[in-house]
Amino acid sequence: MALKRNPDLEEVVDQSISGQKAKQLFSKDTRTRKKEKKVLTTFSIEPSFKMELEDLFADMGLGWAAGIRFSLREFYKKYREEE
């Protein structure tokens, strides 16, 4: 047996502050603006250097991709301030 929607109740929820905040939070437009999609990039390094970096990232509790992203952010912060 299907339940019928109560249109009076929907109007009350739509007018409430919490209902408006919920709509804003779960609307598609706000979610896509907050989080950017990742861009796949490639580069070549020596296998021995990659192993050293993987060990360093593992000690920091990071995987390969997270370690590279962290390193690039830190590099950007350091050299952006020197300008």
Side-chain angles (χ1 to χ4, degrees):
M1 178 169 134
L3 297 175
K4 289 185 178 181
R5 286 186 164 187
N6 186 346
D8 296 331
L9 182 60
E10 287 179 18
E11 288 176 14
V12 171
V13 171
D14 289 342
Q15 293 172 358
S16 70
I17 293 173
S18 60
Q20 291 171 0
K21 286 183 179 179
K23 275 189 173 181
Q24 183 181 17
L25 179 65
F26 294 110
S27 70
K28 267 190 171 176
D29 295 336
T30 50
R31 283 187 287 164
T32 55
R33 279 187 271 152
K34 287 183 183 178
K35 187 173 182 179
E36 289 184 271
K37 292 184 179 181
K38 302 268 189 279
V39 176
L40 179 63
T41 59
T42 59
F43 57 94
S44 299
I45 59 173
E46 296 86 7
S48 59
F49 184 55
K50 183 179 183 210
M51 287 174 43
E52 290 176 23
L53 289 175
E54 285 176 326
D55 291 340
L56 176 66
F57 297 154
D59 291 342
M60 297 169 66
L62 300 171
W64 171 253
I68 293 296
R69 285 192 296 269
F70 173 79
S71 301
L72 289 171
R73 275 191 220 104
E74 291 300 311
F75 180 86
Y76 179 74
K77 285 179 194 175
K78 179 180 178 182
Y79 288 100
R80 183 186 63 194
E81 292 171 359
E82 290 182 3
E83 291 179 1

